[in-house]
Amino acid sequence: MEREFGDVLTDSWDEFKKNWKLFFKIFLLFYVLPFIIVFAISFFLQVPIQEKFTLIEAEEMGFGELSGDFWKSVGIVGILSIIAGLFYLFTSSCFYFHSIYSKNKQDFGKVVSGGKKYFWKYFGLMIVLFLFAFIVILIASILSGILIFALRSVLVLAILLVVLIVLGALIVLIKYFTSWALAPYFLIAENKRIIDSLRNSFSLVKGNWWVVFAYGIMLGVFILIINIIFAIIGFIFLIPFGVLSVVSGAEVSGIGFAGQLIDGIFSLIVTFITVPIGIILFKNVYLDLKKEKGNGKKEENEENEEEKKEKKKVKKSKEKKKKK
């Protein structure tokens, strides 16, 4: 890629600033509200769950004796978390659609309709990626278990081989997930099928793998910096509660809730900033690589045309010589 990361990030930030209101509406309705519901219910169900575990420890009970309210609470929180995850995927689908078609006039209704249109394909893509990661990790785990069992008498060698297997699995995951990083853009921008999107992404990234990987690393560093900044701000917000606890010699009522609430709010702010910017940034990478590949093909075609012209000239000159 010809452009530097700083240039692409600046363009992505400018695009986010221009469209932040629409991003915020989608984020508020389809991510924040489900998050608040899950947070509130989880918080109120947390106490009975903790009390049940205390009872288990006190009476040395087994999991077989757990029933009633405990499993009901865990089940409700689990189901709500899955639903919240689906809403997050729908939000991402809307963000991808909006970032790709941001040059066209977009309103809330159009973006939501676009998100709906591609949601199940996007969900399917995420399932495929999850299954791929799961299979790689499962194979690595099975091989590691077999090696540890077979070489239990030579434990050092077994551990060394397990480390190599884990590193190998990690390399495979990094290689393919980097190569497939642009699949959502083929899925939505070009309405490709899931497998075709993965194949086209792999083909587009090929030859620029290290560039795309470096962009992913630098984006990760950017997100980490944002997280650190807001973590520091959150800590500053909690200082008054800590001071009151020290002065009064007792825990201030509600400090646990306040801590979770502040952490939740800043987590939402970080997500709202980093997710759209990340999507926009890789959209720009996708467009830049498409442009470069297109120019490359154009130059290749021009070279082929020049070769054909040269061959025709040579052929004509030979024919003239024969006539003479």
Side-chain angles (χ1 to χ4, degrees):
M1 278 182 61
E2 295 177 359
R3 292 203 296 167
E4 297 292 330
F5 176 78
D7 297 329
V8 180
L9 182 60
T10 301
D11 289 347
S12 302
W13 175 250
D14 290 340
E15 189 174 330
F16 172 71
K17 284 193 297 183
K18 286 178 185 175
N19 298 283
W20 76 268
K21 289 181 181 178
L22 191 47
F23 277 122
F24 182 72
K25 284 180 183 177
I26 294 163
F27 184 74
L28 182 65
L29 186 60
F30 299 114
Y31 184 78
V32 175
L33 288 180
F35 179 90
I36 290 170
I37 293 167
V38 171
F39 174 83
I41 294 173
S42 300
F43 181 81
F44 288 114
L45 291 176
Q46 187 177 358
V47 176
I49 290 173
Q50 288 178 343
E51 287 175 354
K52 196 70 179 177
F53 272 117
T54 305
L55 184 63
I56 295 164
E57 291 170 1
E59 299 180 5
E60 296 182 353
M61 293 169 62
F63 275 99
E65 296 180 53
L66 290 172
S67 61
D69 294 339
F70 175 81
W71 290 119
K72 195 180 291 182
S73 300
V74 172
I76 291 169
V77 172
I79 291 168
L80 287 172
S81 297
I82 291 170
I83 293 170
L86 290 174
F87 272 105
Y88 174 78
L89 289 178
F90 179 71
T91 304
S92 298
S93 178
C94 292
F95 282 178
Y96 275 108
F97 182 84
H98 183 41
S99 68
I100 290 165
Y101 296 104
S102 59
K103 288 184 178 179
N104 302 332
K105 286 186 177 180
Q106 297 286 329
D107 57 26
F108 181 79
K110 286 181 180 178
V111 174
V112 171
S113 295
K116 284 180 184 176
K117 181 180 178 181
Y118 295 102
F119 171 71
W120 289 112
K121 286 176 71 174
Y122 179 67
F123 177 73
L125 176 64
M126 294 300 107
I127 293 293
V128 169
L129 294 177
F130 170 79
L131 288 174
F132 176 80
F134 176 77
I135 290 167
V136 170
I137 293 167
L138 181 64
I139 291 169
S141 301
I142 291 169
L143 289 175
S144 299
I146 292 170
L147 281 173
I148 290 171
F149 179 77
L151 301 173
R152 57 188 180 279
S153 57
V154 194
L155 196 58
V156 175
L157 178 61
I159 291 170
L160 180 62
L161 290 173
V162 167
V163 169
L164 290 175
I165 288 170
V166 171
L167 286 174
L170 191 62
I171 289 168
V172 169
L173 290 173
I174 291 171
K175 173 182 169 50
Y176 281 95
F177 273 85
T178 300
S179 298
W180 293 334
L182 306 180
Y185 304 97
F186 283 100
L187 192 81
I188 295 173
E190 302 182 26
N191 199 22
K192 298 283 186 181
R193 293 181 300 176
I194 293 170
I195 299 302
D196 291 335
S197 298
L198 293 169
R199 190 183 295 117
N200 290 344
S201 176
F202 192 94
S203 176
L204 187 62
V205 172
K206 190 177 180 181
N208 291 279
W209 189 91
W210 284 106
V211 176
V212 177
F213 177 69
Y215 269 61
I217 294 293
M218 287 185 280
L219 178 63
V221 171
F222 171 75
I223 292 170
L224 179 63
I225 291 169
I226 298 293
N227 272 285
I228 290 170
I229 290 169
F230 279 97
I232 292 169
I233 295 170
F235 176 75
I236 292 169
F237 269 87
L238 284 174
I239 287 176
F241 291 96
V243 171
L244 285 172
S245 295
V246 172
V247 171
S248 63
E251 187 178 345
V252 177
S253 177
I255 189 170
F257 177 77
Q260 289 188 41
L261 183 62
I262 290 169
D263 181 62
I265 290 169
F266 285 126
S267 175
L268 287 171
I269 293 170
V270 169
T271 303
F272 171 64
I273 294 171
T274 56
V275 171
I277 289 176
I279 289 172
I280 294 168
L281 185 138
F282 272 96
K283 182 226 22 185
N284 289 329
V285 171
Y286 159 79
L287 292 175
D288 285 355
L289 289 178
K290 288 276 285 184
K291 188 177 178 181
E292 285 180 18
K293 292 269 182 176
N295 289 339
K297 285 182 181 178
K298 188 178 177 182
E299 289 172 6
E300 189 179 331
N301 291 334
E302 287 175 355
E303 287 175 5
N304 291 335
E305 287 296 324
E306 289 295 326
E307 286 178 10
K308 286 178 182 177
K309 286 179 182 178
E310 286 295 323
K311 285 179 182 179
K312 283 182 180 179
K313 284 181 182 178
V314 171
K315 191 177 180 181
K316 283 181 180 179
S317 63
K318 284 180 179 180
E319 286 175 355
K320 284 181 181 179
K321 284 179 182 179
K322 282 181 182 180
K323 287 179 181 180
K324 288 179 180 179

mmCIF file of all heavy atoms in Angstrom, residues 27-62:
data_model
loop_
_atom_site.group_PDB
_atom_site.id
_atom_site.type_symbol
_atom_site.label_atom_id
_atom_site.label_comp_id
_atom_site.label_asym_id
_atom_site.label_seq_id
_atom_site.Cartn_x
_atom_site.Cartn_y
_atom_site.Cartn_z
ATOM 1 N N PHE A 27 -25.745 2.824 17.537
ATOM 2 C CA PHE A 27 -25.052 2.275 18.700
ATOM 3 C C PHE A 27 -25.940 2.338 19.943
ATOM 4 O O PHE A 27 -26.024 1.386 20.716
ATOM 5 C CB PHE A 27 -23.757 3.062 18.922
ATOM 6 C CG PHE A 27 -22.895 2.537 20.029
ATOM 7 C CD1 PHE A 27 -22.170 1.367 19.867
ATOM 8 C CD2 PHE A 27 -22.797 3.223 21.232
ATOM 9 C CE1 PHE A 27 -21.371 0.882 20.892
ATOM 10 C CE2 PHE A 27 -21.997 2.745 22.253
ATOM 11 C CZ PHE A 27 -21.283 1.570 22.088
ATOM 12 N N LEU A 28 -26.619 3.471 20.106
ATOM 13 C CA LEU A 28 -27.475 3.670 21.282
ATOM 14 C C LEU A 28 -28.642 2.687 21.303
ATOM 15 O O LEU A 28 -28.922 2.056 22.326
ATOM 16 C CB LEU A 28 -27.999 5.107 21.299
ATOM 17 C CG LEU A 28 -28.871 5.512 22.487
ATOM 18 C CD1 LEU A 28 -28.081 5.473 23.778
ATOM 19 C CD2 LEU A 28 -29.472 6.896 22.266
ATOM 20 N N LEU A 29 -29.293 2.538 20.156
ATOM 21 C CA LEU A 29 -30.505 1.725 20.093
ATOM 22 C C LEU A 29 -30.221 0.231 20.099
ATOM 23 O O LEU A 29 -30.889 -0.544 20.795
ATOM 24 C CB LEU A 29 -31.312 2.089 18.841
ATOM 25 C CG LEU A 29 -32.681 1.417 18.703
ATOM 26 C CD1 LEU A 29 -33.591 1.769 19.869
ATOM 27 C CD2 LEU A 29 -33.337 1.809 17.387
ATOM 28 N N PHE A 30 -29.197 -0.197 19.346
ATOM 29 C CA PHE A 30 -28.987 -1.632 19.141
ATOM 30 C C PHE A 30 -27.849 -2.224 19.964
ATOM 31 O O PHE A 30 -27.652 -3.444 19.931
ATOM 32 C CB PHE A 30 -28.756 -1.921 17.648
ATOM 33 C CG PHE A 30 -29.922 -1.535 16.790
ATOM 34 C CD1 PHE A 30 -29.810 -0.506 15.867
ATOM 35 C CD2 PHE A 30 -31.132 -2.195 16.916
ATOM 36 C CE1 PHE A 30 -30.890 -0.142 15.074
ATOM 37 C CE2 PHE A 30 -32.217 -1.841 16.128
ATOM 38 C CZ PHE A 30 -32.096 -0.811 15.211
ATOM 39 N N TYR A 31 -27.105 -1.373 20.661
ATOM 40 C CA TYR A 31 -26.040 -1.919 21.504
ATOM 41 C C TYR A 31 -26.157 -1.472 22.960
ATOM 42 O O TYR A 31 -26.124 -2.289 23.878
ATOM 43 C CB TYR A 31 -24.660 -1.533 20.957
ATOM 44 C CG TYR A 31 -23.528 -2.168 21.738
ATOM 45 C CD1 TYR A 31 -23.198 -3.508 21.536
ATOM 46 C CD2 TYR A 31 -22.796 -1.447 22.683
ATOM 47 C CE1 TYR A 31 -22.177 -4.104 22.248
ATOM 48 C CE2 TYR A 31 -21.777 -2.044 23.411
ATOM 49 C CZ TYR A 31 -21.464 -3.369 23.186
ATOM 50 O OH TYR A 31 -20.467 -3.965 23.895
ATOM 51 N N VAL A 32 -26.329 -0.142 23.162
ATOM 52 C CA VAL A 32 -26.350 0.383 24.535
ATOM 53 C C VAL A 32 -27.564 -0.120 25.307
ATOM 54 O O VAL A 32 -27.431 -0.574 26.448
ATOM 55 C CB VAL A 32 -26.316 1.927 24.534
ATOM 56 C CG1 VAL A 32 -26.459 2.467 25.951
ATOM 57 C CG2 VAL A 32 -25.011 2.427 23.929
ATOM 58 N N LEU A 33 -28.753 -0.043 24.703
ATOM 59 C CA LEU A 33 -29.966 -0.469 25.408
ATOM 60 C C LEU A 33 -29.918 -1.953 25.809
ATOM 61 O O LEU A 33 -30.193 -2.287 26.971
ATOM 62 C CB LEU A 33 -31.207 -0.174 24.565
ATOM 63 C CG LEU A 33 -31.592 1.317 24.448
ATOM 64 C CD1 LEU A 33 -32.836 1.470 23.593
ATOM 65 C CD2 LEU A 33 -31.811 1.951 25.819
ATOM 66 N N PRO A 34 -29.555 -2.866 24.890
ATOM 67 C CA PRO A 34 -29.403 -4.269 25.310
ATOM 68 C C PRO A 34 -28.326 -4.435 26.386
ATOM 69 O O PRO A 34 -28.484 -5.237 27.306
ATOM 70 C CB PRO A 34 -28.992 -4.992 24.012
ATOM 71 C CG PRO A 34 -29.542 -4.142 22.926
ATOM 72 C CD PRO A 34 -29.431 -2.735 23.416
ATOM 73 N N PHE A 35 -27.257 -3.655 26.277
ATOM 74 C CA PHE A 35 -26.170 -3.710 27.270
ATOM 75 C C PHE A 35 -26.685 -3.305 28.647
ATOM 76 O O PHE A 35 -26.389 -3.961 29.656
ATOM 77 C CB PHE A 35 -25.034 -2.785 26.831
ATOM 78 C CG PHE A 35 -23.871 -2.741 27.792
ATOM 79 C CD1 PHE A 35 -22.814 -3.625 27.650
ATOM 80 C CD2 PHE A 35 -23.836 -1.818 28.830
ATOM 81 C CE1 PHE A 35 -21.737 -3.586 28.529
ATOM 82 C CE2 PHE A 35 -22.772 -1.768 29.714
ATOM 83 C CZ PHE A 35 -21.717 -2.659 29.565
ATOM 84 N N ILE A 36 -27.474 -2.228 28.688
ATOM 85 C CA ILE A 36 -28.020 -1.739 29.965
ATOM 86 C C ILE A 36 -28.949 -2.785 30.586
ATOM 87 O O ILE A 36 -28.896 -3.050 31.794
ATOM 88 C CB ILE A 36 -28.774 -0.407 29.762
ATOM 89 C CG1 ILE A 36 -27.773 0.715 29.442
ATOM 90 C CG2 ILE A 36 -29.580 -0.039 31.005
ATOM 91 C CD1 ILE A 36 -28.422 2.001 29.004
ATOM 92 N N ILE A 37 -29.793 -3.398 29.748
ATOM 93 C CA ILE A 37 -30.727 -4.418 30.247
ATOM 94 C C ILE A 37 -29.971 -5.602 30.841
ATOM 95 O O ILE A 37 -30.260 -6.058 31.952
ATOM 96 C CB ILE A 37 -31.674 -4.885 29.118
ATOM 97 C CG1 ILE A 37 -32.613 -3.743 28.709
ATOM 98 C CG2 ILE A 37 -32.487 -6.107 29.547
ATOM 99 C CD1 ILE A 37 -33.360 -3.987 27.416
ATOM 100 N N VAL A 38 -28.970 -6.099 30.099
ATOM 101 C CA VAL A 38 -28.177 -7.233 30.578
ATOM 102 C C VAL A 38 -27.410 -6.845 31.843
ATOM 103 O O VAL A 38 -27.339 -7.619 32.810
ATOM 104 C CB VAL A 38 -27.199 -7.719 29.481
ATOM 105 C CG1 VAL A 38 -26.228 -8.752 30.039
ATOM 106 C CG2 VAL A 38 -27.977 -8.316 28.320
ATOM 107 N N PHE A 39 -26.832 -5.625 31.853
ATOM 108 C CA PHE A 39 -26.069 -5.148 33.019
ATOM 109 C C PHE A 39 -26.953 -5.086 34.259
ATOM 110 O O PHE A 39 -26.575 -5.568 35.338
ATOM 111 C CB PHE A 39 -25.482 -3.769 32.715
ATOM 112 C CG PHE A 39 -24.802 -3.127 33.894
ATOM 113 C CD1 PHE A 39 -23.496 -3.456 34.214
ATOM 114 C CD2 PHE A 39 -25.467 -2.196 34.680
ATOM 115 C CE1 PHE A 39 -22.864 -2.871 35.301
ATOM 116 C CE2 PHE A 39 -24.852 -1.604 35.772
ATOM 117 C CZ PHE A 39 -23.534 -1.940 36.078
ATOM 118 N N ALA A 40 -28.160 -4.512 34.109
ATOM 119 C CA ALA A 40 -29.060 -4.345 35.256
ATOM 120 C C ALA A 40 -29.518 -5.695 35.806
ATOM 121 O O ALA A 40 -29.453 -5.943 37.021
ATOM 122 C CB ALA A 40 -30.265 -3.505 34.849
ATOM 123 N N ILE A 41 -29.939 -6.590 34.899
ATOM 124 C CA ILE A 41 -30.420 -7.899 35.353
ATOM 125 C C ILE A 41 -29.284 -8.714 35.964
ATOM 126 O O ILE A 41 -29.454 -9.353 37.008
ATOM 127 C CB ILE A 41 -31.079 -8.660 34.187
ATOM 128 C CG1 ILE A 41 -32.354 -7.922 33.736
ATOM 129 C CG2 ILE A 41 -31.421 -10.092 34.585
ATOM 130 C CD1 ILE A 41 -33.000 -8.484 32.503
ATOM 131 N N SER A 42 -28.101 -8.672 35.321
ATOM 132 C CA SER A 42 -26.939 -9.403 35.845
ATOM 133 C C SER A 42 -26.563 -8.899 37.226
ATOM 134 O O SER A 42 -26.207 -9.687 38.109
ATOM 135 C CB SER A 42 -25.749 -9.261 34.896
ATOM 136 O OG SER A 42 -26.053 -9.778 33.630
ATOM 137 N N PHE A 43 -26.635 -7.585 37.426
ATOM 138 C CA PHE A 43 -26.256 -7.012 38.723
ATOM 139 C C PHE A 43 -27.203 -7.494 39.822
ATOM 140 O O PHE A 43 -26.773 -7.873 40.907
ATOM 141 C CB PHE A 43 -26.269 -5.484 38.646
ATOM 142 C CG PHE A 43 -25.871 -4.831 39.948
ATOM 143 C CD1 PHE A 43 -24.534 -4.715 40.290
ATOM 144 C CD2 PHE A 43 -26.840 -4.350 40.817
ATOM 145 C CE1 PHE A 43 -24.164 -4.113 41.488
ATOM 146 C CE2 PHE A 43 -26.482 -3.749 42.018
ATOM 147 C CZ PHE A 43 -25.134 -3.628 42.350
ATOM 148 N N PHE A 44 -28.507 -7.489 39.532
ATOM 149 C CA PHE A 44 -29.475 -7.892 40.547
ATOM 150 C C PHE A 44 -29.467 -9.400 40.793
ATOM 151 O O PHE A 44 -29.797 -9.859 41.879
ATOM 152 C CB PHE A 44 -30.877 -7.426 40.164
ATOM 153 C CG PHE A 44 -31.067 -5.943 40.299
ATOM 154 C CD1 PHE A 44 -31.284 -5.155 39.177
ATOM 155 C CD2 PHE A 44 -31.003 -5.326 41.538
ATOM 156 C CE1 PHE A 44 -31.448 -3.775 39.290
ATOM 157 C CE2 PHE A 44 -31.167 -3.951 41.668
ATOM 158 C CZ PHE A 44 -31.386 -3.175 40.540
ATOM 159 N N LEU A 45 -29.052 -10.175 39.762
ATOM 160 C CA LEU A 45 -28.981 -11.625 39.933
ATOM 161 C C LEU A 45 -27.641 -12.081 40.499
ATOM 162 O O LEU A 45 -27.489 -13.229 40.889
ATOM 163 C CB LEU A 45 -29.214 -12.326 38.595
ATOM 164 C CG LEU A 45 -30.627 -12.230 38.019
ATOM 165 C CD1 LEU A 45 -30.668 -12.891 36.654
ATOM 166 C CD2 LEU A 45 -31.639 -12.894 38.939
ATOM 167 N N GLN A 46 -26.684 -11.161 40.552
ATOM 168 C CA GLN A 46 -25.335 -11.496 41.003
ATOM 169 C C GLN A 46 -25.320 -11.888 42.482
ATOM 170 O O GLN A 46 -24.621 -12.800 42.895
ATOM 171 C CB GLN A 46 -24.401 -10.305 40.779
ATOM 172 C CG GLN A 46 -22.936 -10.600 41.053
ATOM 173 C CD GLN A 46 -22.064 -9.404 40.749
ATOM 174 O OE1 GLN A 46 -22.538 -8.378 40.303
ATOM 175 N NE2 GLN A 46 -20.786 -9.546 40.994
ATOM 176 N N VAL A 47 -26.111 -11.203 43.301
ATOM 177 C CA VAL A 47 -26.124 -11.449 44.749
ATOM 178 C C VAL A 47 -26.568 -12.871 45.076
ATOM 179 O O VAL A 47 -25.856 -13.591 45.778
ATOM 180 C CB VAL A 47 -27.004 -10.408 45.480
ATOM 181 C CG1 VAL A 47 -27.091 -10.741 46.957
ATOM 182 C CG2 VAL A 47 -26.438 -9.015 45.276
ATOM 183 N N PRO A 48 -27.727 -13.345 44.563
ATOM 184 C CA PRO A 48 -28.107 -14.722 44.868
ATOM 185 C C PRO A 48 -27.107 -15.751 44.373
ATOM 186 O O PRO A 48 -26.897 -16.765 45.012
ATOM 187 C CB PRO A 48 -29.465 -14.895 44.169
ATOM 188 C CG PRO A 48 -29.620 -13.731 43.265
ATOM 189 C CD PRO A 48 -28.797 -12.632 43.840
ATOM 190 N N ILE A 49 -26.448 -15.468 43.215
ATOM 191 C CA ILE A 49 -25.440 -16.394 42.702
ATOM 192 C C ILE A 49 -24.258 -16.461 43.659
ATOM 193 O O ILE A 49 -23.776 -17.534 44.014
ATOM 194 C CB ILE A 49 -24.970 -15.959 41.291
ATOM 195 C CG1 ILE A 49 -26.087 -16.179 40.271
ATOM 196 C CG2 ILE A 49 -23.730 -16.739 40.862
ATOM 197 C CD1 ILE A 49 -25.796 -15.642 38.896
ATOM 198 N N GLN A 50 -23.774 -15.298 44.115
ATOM 199 C CA GLN A 50 -22.653 -15.260 45.041
ATOM 200 C C GLN A 50 -23.016 -15.946 46.364
ATOM 201 O O GLN A 50 -22.230 -16.687 46.935
ATOM 202 C CB GLN A 50 -22.231 -13.818 45.304
ATOM 203 C CG GLN A 50 -21.519 -13.192 44.108
ATOM 204 C CD GLN A 50 -21.139 -11.751 44.368
ATOM 205 O OE1 GLN A 50 -21.659 -11.119 45.282
ATOM 206 N NE2 GLN A 50 -20.237 -11.233 43.573
ATOM 207 N N GLU A 51 -24.235 -15.720 46.859
ATOM 208 C CA GLU A 51 -24.668 -16.341 48.104
ATOM 209 C C GLU A 51 -24.724 -17.858 47.963
ATOM 210 O O GLU A 51 -24.370 -18.595 48.877
ATOM 211 C CB GLU A 51 -26.043 -15.800 48.506
ATOM 212 C CG GLU A 51 -25.997 -14.367 49.033
ATOM 213 C CD GLU A 51 -27.382 -13.818 49.310
ATOM 214 O OE1 GLU A 51 -28.369 -14.513 48.979
ATOM 215 O OE2 GLU A 51 -27.480 -12.712 49.851
ATOM 216 N N LYS A 52 -25.137 -18.332 46.814
ATOM 217 C CA LYS A 52 -25.223 -19.767 46.584
ATOM 218 C C LYS A 52 -23.844 -20.402 46.622
ATOM 219 O O LYS A 52 -23.640 -21.463 47.194
ATOM 220 C CB LYS A 52 -25.889 -20.031 45.221
ATOM 221 C CG LYS A 52 -26.368 -21.465 45.041
ATOM 222 C CD LYS A 52 -27.549 -21.755 45.924
ATOM 223 C CE LYS A 52 -28.042 -23.178 45.729
ATOM 224 N NZ LYS A 52 -29.141 -23.521 46.609
ATOM 225 N N PHE A 53 -22.847 -19.701 45.980
ATOM 226 C CA PHE A 53 -21.488 -20.215 45.997
ATOM 227 C C PHE A 53 -20.920 -20.229 47.418
ATOM 228 O O PHE A 53 -20.184 -21.132 47.789
ATOM 229 C CB PHE A 53 -20.580 -19.396 45.073
ATOM 230 C CG PHE A 53 -20.584 -19.889 43.664
ATOM 231 C CD1 PHE A 53 -21.053 -19.097 42.636
ATOM 232 C CD2 PHE A 53 -20.146 -21.168 43.357
ATOM 233 C CE1 PHE A 53 -21.070 -19.561 41.335
ATOM 234 C CE2 PHE A 53 -20.151 -21.641 42.056
ATOM 235 C CZ PHE A 53 -20.614 -20.844 41.043
ATOM 236 N N THR A 54 -21.264 -19.215 48.214
ATOM 237 C CA THR A 54 -20.828 -19.190 49.612
ATOM 238 C C THR A 54 -21.401 -20.388 50.357
ATOM 239 O O THR A 54 -20.721 -21.039 51.153
ATOM 240 C CB THR A 54 -21.301 -17.889 50.291
ATOM 241 O OG1 THR A 54 -20.831 -16.783 49.536
ATOM 242 C CG2 THR A 54 -20.739 -17.787 51.701
ATOM 243 N N LEU A 55 -22.659 -20.701 50.089
ATOM 244 C CA LEU A 55 -23.316 -21.841 50.708
ATOM 245 C C LEU A 55 -22.642 -23.146 50.304
ATOM 246 O O LEU A 55 -22.440 -24.046 51.115
ATOM 247 C CB LEU A 55 -24.800 -21.874 50.306
ATOM 248 C CG LEU A 55 -25.678 -22.960 50.947
ATOM 249 C CD1 LEU A 55 -25.741 -22.765 52.452
ATOM 250 C CD2 LEU A 55 -27.064 -22.925 50.344
ATOM 251 N N ILE A 56 -22.259 -23.234 49.028
ATOM 252 C CA ILE A 56 -21.577 -24.434 48.523
ATOM 253 C C ILE A 56 -20.267 -24.641 49.266
ATOM 254 O O ILE A 56 -19.948 -25.746 49.710
ATOM 255 C CB ILE A 56 -21.299 -24.323 47.012
ATOM 256 C CG1 ILE A 56 -22.601 -24.293 46.229
ATOM 257 C CG2 ILE A 56 -20.446 -25.478 46.522
ATOM 258 C CD1 ILE A 56 -22.445 -23.814 44.827
ATOM 259 N N GLU A 57 -19.485 -23.553 49.393
ATOM 260 C CA GLU A 57 -18.192 -23.646 50.069
ATOM 261 C C GLU A 57 -18.383 -24.017 51.539
ATOM 262 O O GLU A 57 -17.610 -24.812 52.094
ATOM 263 C CB GLU A 57 -17.448 -22.320 49.945
ATOM 264 C CG GLU A 57 -16.997 -22.022 48.522
ATOM 265 C CD GLU A 57 -16.469 -20.608 48.376
ATOM 266 O OE1 GLU A 57 -16.431 -19.874 49.384
ATOM 267 O OE2 GLU A 57 -16.088 -20.246 47.253
ATOM 268 N N ALA A 58 -19.393 -23.442 52.171
ATOM 269 C CA ALA A 58 -19.614 -23.701 53.597
ATOM 270 C C ALA A 58 -20.034 -25.144 53.845
ATOM 271 O O ALA A 58 -19.593 -25.786 54.796
ATOM 272 C CB ALA A 58 -20.675 -22.748 54.142
ATOM 273 N N GLU A 59 -20.891 -25.674 52.996
ATOM 274 C CA GLU A 59 -21.423 -27.010 53.218
ATOM 275 C C GLU A 59 -20.730 -28.077 52.360
ATOM 276 O O GLU A 59 -21.112 -29.246 52.372
ATOM 277 C CB GLU A 59 -22.930 -27.015 52.929
ATOM 278 C CG GLU A 59 -23.713 -26.066 53.840
ATOM 279 C CD GLU A 59 -25.199 -26.092 53.537
ATOM 280 O OE1 GLU A 59 -25.614 -26.923 52.691
ATOM 281 O OE2 GLU A 59 -25.937 -25.296 54.133
ATOM 282 N N GLU A 60 -19.703 -27.607 51.564
ATOM 283 C CA GLU A 60 -18.958 -28.512 50.692
ATOM 284 C C GLU A 60 -19.901 -29.306 49.791
ATOM 285 O O GLU A 60 -19.839 -30.532 49.694
ATOM 286 C CB GLU A 60 -18.078 -29.464 51.511
ATOM 287 C CG GLU A 60 -17.002 -28.743 52.293
ATOM 288 C CD GLU A 60 -16.115 -29.715 53.047
ATOM 289 O OE1 GLU A 60 -16.430 -30.926 53.058
ATOM 290 O OE2 GLU A 60 -15.107 -29.260 53.611
ATOM 291 N N MET A 61 -20.779 -28.550 49.138
ATOM 292 C CA MET A 61 -21.760 -29.175 48.248
ATOM 293 C C MET A 61 -21.163 -29.355 46.859
ATOM 294 O O MET A 61 -20.251 -28.653 46.463
ATOM 295 C CB MET A 61 -23.017 -28.296 48.137
ATOM 296 C CG MET A 61 -23.814 -28.196 49.425
ATOM 297 S SD MET A 61 -25.077 -26.912 49.305
ATOM 298 C CE MET A 61 -26.072 -27.569 47.971
ATOM 299 N N GLY A 62 -21.675 -30.319 46.113
ATOM 300 C CA GLY A 62 -21.244 -30.531 44.742
ATOM 301 C C GLY A 62 -22.183 -29.845 43.784
ATOM 302 O O GLY A 62 -23.270 -29.416 44.163
#
